Amino acid sequence: MEHYKVTLSEQERAELQGIAGKGTHAAQKVINALILLNCDQSGGRAERPRTCDIAAMLCVSERKVDRVKKKFVQEGLELTLNRQPSKCEYDLKIDGRLEAQLLALSCSAPPEGQARWSLRLLADRLVELELVDSVSHETVRRALKKNELKPWRKVGWVIAPQASAAFVAAMEKVLDIYSRPYDAKHPVVCMDETPRQLIRETREPIAAAPGRPERHDYEYERCGVCNVFMASEPLAGRRLTKVTERRTKADWAVFVQDIAQSYPDAERITLVMDNLNTHTPGSLYETFAPEQAKALWDRFEFVYAPKHGSWLNMAEIEINVMVGQCLSRRIDNIETVRSEVAAWQSRRDNLQAKVNWQFTTKNARIKLKRLYPTTTS
């Protein structure tokens, strides 16, 4: 004989059917609604599922079904469907004062022999400093999460000087050049270079299949390095690439000569590049005869991005696109790199892919105000 009998009114049954028929409720609320609907004895229902059948159908225990019926009879529909908040009160392990000390500790230098703070190291140090009798690493994790602090993480960043007249002068020079309209007689070309490792597979990769990505063995064989030069004219949507074995002054000088030959009708080419020791007019004189070096130098206006400001060089954008679309794989010989880079360049030139540079001097004076030396009137 059942101790708790579920008898639903028409309104309650309609409400439960609405909950069970819509997937916008918590899973437990839907299960409780289905249990009550199957246990309902209203309306003279002669046949209804047994408790064991309901439990098997809903993948719950028979005790779960009995608990729902008991709660419905004793407390009503609202409390049966909606979980009530816990009435237990717990003492906070980490109050405001201890939380401030934890944040200061996590931002300090880690102990000797450790690269960074971990949750367990922080918990142990709080106990060692007698700031708390005991604390778990999970409690420390919740406190750090609340403050969006992850001391075990470290990211690479381009950190500019706080105030540097030389930096902002070089930056504004580059930004002024980027604001020029397109002029075929005076093109603006950005140049950069990137080293690439030549890597050979030691085992044959497994091709991709439905439900399985391509698989490469973790082991590989290094076959040397190569260098990829990139020259990009952002406003025209054209670029010039060259793969070399090294990145010497002579290699750079020859690539500058290639750029000049690519613009036979240009009167003067503005070449924006990084501050590398190979990117100097002296490299031209070390590679070519004086007359040829001077003639080549006269065709260019060399503009250097500020030190620690390579993000101002738009050629870096093209290099990132090239690496992502073409070179983010294992290639073991320089000839393959040359053919693949040439194919990538041809396709991207056909697309006339341009760079829509929108950062201006006006933006820099607002967003990078800290980089400008303080002046007083």
Side-chain angles (χ1 to χ4, degrees), residues 233-254:
E233 187 182 358
L235 295 180
R238 60 180 292 194
R239 57 212 40 82
L240 176 67
T241 57
K242 185 175 185 179
V243 181
T244 60
E245 296 181 357
R246 296 170 299 275
R247 49 185 302 178
T248 63
K249 293 181 178 180
D251 294 316
W252 176 81
V254 173

Side-chain angles (χ1 to χ4, degrees), residues 209-243:
R212 186 192 68 199
E214 185 179 7
R215 295 176 177 177
H216 290 258
D217 193 77
Y218 70 93
E219 184 180 340
Y220 60 87
E221 179 183 349
R222 287 194 62 187
C223 302
V225 295
C226 65
N227 185 67
V228 183
F229 283 104
M230 167 70 70
S232 169
E233 187 182 358
L235 295 180
R238 60 180 292 194
R239 57 212 40 82
L240 176 67
T241 57
K242 185 175 185 179
V243 181

Side-chain angles (χ1 to χ4, degrees), residues 303-319:
V303 178
Y304 296 97
K307 292 182 179 180
H308 237 60
S310 58
W311 55 272
L312 286 162
N313 189 348
M314 278 194 271
E316 279 203 354
I317 300 175
E318 287 290 339
I319 285 181

Side-chain angles (χ1 to χ4, degrees), residues 103-114:
L103 297 180
L105 181 63
S106 62
C107 293
S108 64
E112 186 177 359
Q114 299 292 329

Side-chain angles (χ1 to χ4, degrees), residues 238-285:
R238 60 180 292 194
R239 57 212 40 82
L240 176 67
T241 57
K242 185 175 185 179
V243 181
T244 60
E245 296 181 357
R246 296 170 299 275
R247 49 185 302 178
T248 63
K249 293 181 178 180
D251 294 316
W252 176 81
V254 173
F255 184 63
V256 170
Q257 185 183 48
D258 294 341
I259 296 174
Q261 293 173 353
S262 298
Y263 294 89
D265 299 328
E267 296 177 1
R268 191 172 180 83
I269 304 168
T270 301
L271 189 63
V272 180
M273 52 189 168
D274 291 342
N275 256 305
L276 295 182
N277 59 349
T278 56
H279 299 174
T280 62
S283 299
L284 303 178
Y285 284 87

Side-chain angles (χ1 to χ4, degrees), residues 198 228 230 241-243 321-323 325-348:
L198 301 176
V228 183
M230 167 70 70
T241 57
K242 185 175 185 179
V243 181
V321 174
M322 177 185 66
V323 171
Q325 294 181 350
C326 176
L327 298 180
S328 58
R329 48 182 164 157
R330 294 179 179 179
I331 302 177
D332 59 2
N333 64 86
I334 193 172
E335 294 303 325
T336 303
V337 175
R338 284 178 176 141
S339 62
E340 292 294 316
V341 169
W344 172 86
Q345 176 190 330
S346 176
R347 180 180 182 278
R348 193 153 172 85

